[in-house]
Amino acid sequence: MAGKVVTIAQQKGGAGKTTLCAHLAVALAEMGHKVAVVDTDPQESLAAWMRVRAAFNAGTSALTLRLAAGWRAGTEIDKAKREADLVLVDSPPHTEQTAMTAIREADLVVLPIQLSPMDLWATRPTLEMAKKARVPAMVVINRVSPRGKLNDQVLREIAKANYPTALTRLGARVIFAAAMQDGLGVTEAQGRGVAAEEIRQLAGEILEKLHMA
């Protein structure tokens, strides 16, 4: 049976797609899934993290990587589906063809959004792409800073827009970036920490959406 595909997508750059993809991949592997990651972003940030991971023999979870920028995206995602039961795709920003291909290939689109007006405005086009492709979507509120007026305003706008939002929110925690620098997932770097628990909870929500829980 072909694996399920989760595409991490967001039109705006800097939303935390690659970081989220890496940490979710490790957490899902720790839950017993065979996980492949596909880097379709020409910047190859996810691939760079995997190279650090391999160079230092970091982490305890096995992941496979495919590079698939441009026209090869669909083919490489299909290959990954035959190798793993879960495929996580890191897509490029902006509404380019590669991102659209990654969304069409998905069983679920996950959209990280920071609590800023710019992220909010950028989310709608990506949700519309998923809707057009008839792929369910999940908005993940990411890098949540301590409570403030802007947070509350953007959260009200998200609720007003009726976006399909995950229950789990990810805090603005240094460990997310620090773990990446060492080639680790946050659940490997600080397994009993709050950040690790947030990622595990989000991974659980994703599995429920995919009917794999």
Side-chain angles (χ1 to χ4, degrees), residues 173-191:
R173 308 186 192 284
V174 174
I175 187 61
F176 283 124
M180 291 284 290
Q181 185 174 330
D182 294 332
L184 298 170
V186 70
T187 52
E188 296 168 321
Q190 200 177 86

Side-chain angles (χ1 to χ4, degrees), residues 8 16-25 88 110 112 140 170 199 202:
I8 316 296
K17 294 189 303 297
T18 300
T19 300
L20 181 58
C21 186
H23 293 313
L24 281 172
L88 272 67
V110 173
V140 176
L170 305 179
I199 288 294
L202 180 59

Side-chain angles (χ1 to χ4, degrees), residues 1-5 36 38 40 66-68 71-85 87 89 101-102 104-107:
M1 181 192 289
K4 298 283 190 178
V5 177
V38 181
T40 68
R66 285 188 174 273
L67 295 174
W71 60 270
R72 296 184 297 111
T75 300
E76 293 301 320
I77 292 170
D78 282 340
K79 288 179 182 177
K81 285 164 62 176
R82 295 194 290 269
E83 299 170 350
D85 59 296
V87 179
V89 182
T101 299
R104 284 197 300 265
E105 292 285 337
D107 296 286

